[in-house]
Amino acid sequence: MAEKTHKFYELTIEERLKTLKKAGDLNAEEIAALSGAAGLTPAQADHMIENVVGTFALPLGIAQHFLVNGREVLVPMAMEEPSVVAAASFMAKLARAGGGFTASADAPEMIGQIQILDIDDLDAAAERLESAAGGLLALAEKADSLLVKLGGGPREIVVRKIKESPIGPFLVLHLIMDVRDAMGANAINTALEQMTPTVERISGGRALLRILSNLADRRLVKASCAIPVKALAFNDFSGEDVRDRIIEAWAFGQADPYRAATHNKGIMNGVDAVVLATGNDWRAVEAGAHAYAAVNGRYTSLSRWSKGPDGELVGELEMPMAVGLVGGATKVHPGAAAAVKLMGVKTAAELAQVIVSVGLAQNLGALRALATEGIQRGHMALHARQVAIAAGAPEKWVAPIAEQMVKEKSIRVERALEILEEWRTR
Ligand code: MEV
């Protein structure tokens, strides 16, 4: 099994699917859904959004070698960008030298907000709302009795005063709710609406917005890894050198928002690909990630890289992760359902822990490449294939044309067209 998994990239698509069928105990329909042979039908899609004309496919790759909290996980990634899946797999392999990824998750608590306007005395209204918290939570509980039965439900009321805004001061009431294995938007929004008339009566104000906050900082997930320096050495770079360069590269993103945006984009390459493959709301996760990266008033890197006590490279990533296994598209979309089954995750927290581990692996891949040989070399080989395809190269010529362009250091559609023409007439 280990032998085979390590050579996954060398297999044909058919062979890869066969491996997954066995490893993930998937049935024929689930395999068909992953492969794109079946999957989401236009009729199903028509129930999901409006004005449907069809479905839209992206490449689905499986990242290998992930060990998260001691468990082997095959990671489905929906992604259009070359090198991402390969980098995640390679970095997961490096992380194994230090025992893989260790991850933990907060309780799945989401935040809902009610904006309360037209209040003369913010302090007095806030006090009244705070004293009524018990009753408000009881009201919110009525919105979703199933959630309560499952051990979730409303947990806390927090009242915040916004003292300065373009429309003057106002109050914000936060409902904290444990949403268990859901992403939670529906549960939260329903509960907020249920509470609104009472909130208005108690505060004496006018409730305007009642909506979930995507800054899900009560639902943080943390992943870490510790890689022995020996495992980091490659080509002419010593392990110590690679470690120190990675820490220096991280420090750039930590200190400078221009770099932090790109640094975090690299993390989100991994995060979004899994969020998308499992049918979750990647815009919500993106919004939460970037808001959290700026939560202390200055936008900074979401991850942290440092030297451990034994000289190892230590990586840590903490970020909000509002993903679910129930509700949303995860159950409805056959490809997403098969992806979740393949991962073997049983709770939203487990899924979130894998996702954040992938984000950390992706970040490591980018920093390692950028801080040593640069990313273009690896990137270009795959990019060249896309250029060859864009030029209309037949399947059997895609790889050879790509190779030729890389050799010539000229990766352009015009050049691919020229080579195509030459080869067709020779
Ligand atoms: C490209 O998609 C992502 C990177 O730019 C991330 C980074 O710079 O850290 C390589």
Side-chain angles (χ1 to χ4, degrees), residues 10 40 55 94 121 123 152 158 198-199 227 231 261 282 287 314 327 336 351:
E10 292 171 338
L40 190 71
T55 59
L94 281 190
D121 186 342
D123 292 333
V158 177
T198 311
V199 167
I227 309 178
W282 78 96
V314 176
L351 172 62

Side-chain angles (χ1 to χ4, degrees), residues 157-176:
I157 299 287
V158 177
V159 184
R160 296 173 50 230
K161 293 163 209 164
I162 305 285
K163 299 230 165 98
E164 275 179 46
S165 90
I167 53 155
F170 58 88
L171 279 186
V172 181
L173 180 137
H174 279 195
L175 165 67
I176 316 294

Side-chain angles (χ1 to χ4, degrees), residues 226-247:
I227 309 178
V229 273
K230 252 194 352 223
L232 292 171
F234 74 103
N235 294 349
D236 291 338
F237 297 100
S238 72
E240 284 79 5
D241 192 17
V242 174
R243 176 198 63 206
D244 295 345
R245 284 166 179 254
I246 288 171
I247 296 170

Side-chain angles (χ1 to χ4, degrees), residues 195-366:
M195 291 162 63
T196 297
T198 311
V199 167
E200 284 188 319
R201 189 172 46 74
I202 295 171
S203 65
R206 171 171 63 93
L208 191 62
L209 298 198
R210 293 146 291 165
I211 187 75
L212 168 98
S213 168
N214 287 121
L215 175 49
D217 63 358
R218 303 276 295 229
R219 201 178 188 177
L220 297 177
V221 175
K222 192 170 177 175
S224 61
C225 62
I227 309 178
V229 273
K230 252 194 352 223
L232 292 171
F234 74 103
N235 294 349
D236 291 338
F237 297 100
S238 72
E240 284 79 5
D241 192 17
V242 174
R243 176 198 63 206
D244 295 345
R245 284 166 179 254
I246 288 171
I247 296 170
E248 286 164 349
W250 160 76
F252 185 7
Q254 199 281 338
D256 174 28
Y258 284 92
R259 171 58 204 157
T262 322
H263 177 104
N264 291 339
K265 191 272 182 184
I267 292 172
M268 301 313 283
N269 274 346
V271 166
D272 286 344
V274 190
V275 171
L276 189 52
T278 55
N280 274 289
D281 180 346
W282 78 96
R283 287 91 52 214
V285 173
E286 279 279 340
H290 296 292
Y292 188 63
V295 83
N296 291 322
R298 179 172 66 78
Y299 186 86
T300 185
S301 56
L302 285 163
S303 65
R304 182 187 152 80
W305 292 94
S306 59
K307 181 172 151 181
D310 297 321
E312 69 277 27
L313 175 68
V314 176
E316 295 158 282
L317 173 60
E318 184 184 62
M319 60 189 291
M321 194 44 67
V323 289
L325 291 180
V326 295
T330 305
K331 282 255 168 2
V332 181
H333 190 300
V340 167
K341 184 166 174 199
L342 177 71
M343 294 174 83
V345 289
K346 299 282 182 279
T347 62
E350 254 186 278
L351 172 62
Q353 288 168 16
V354 174
I355 292 173
V356 177
S357 301
V358 178
L360 185 60
Q362 211 72 60
N363 184 219
L364 175 63

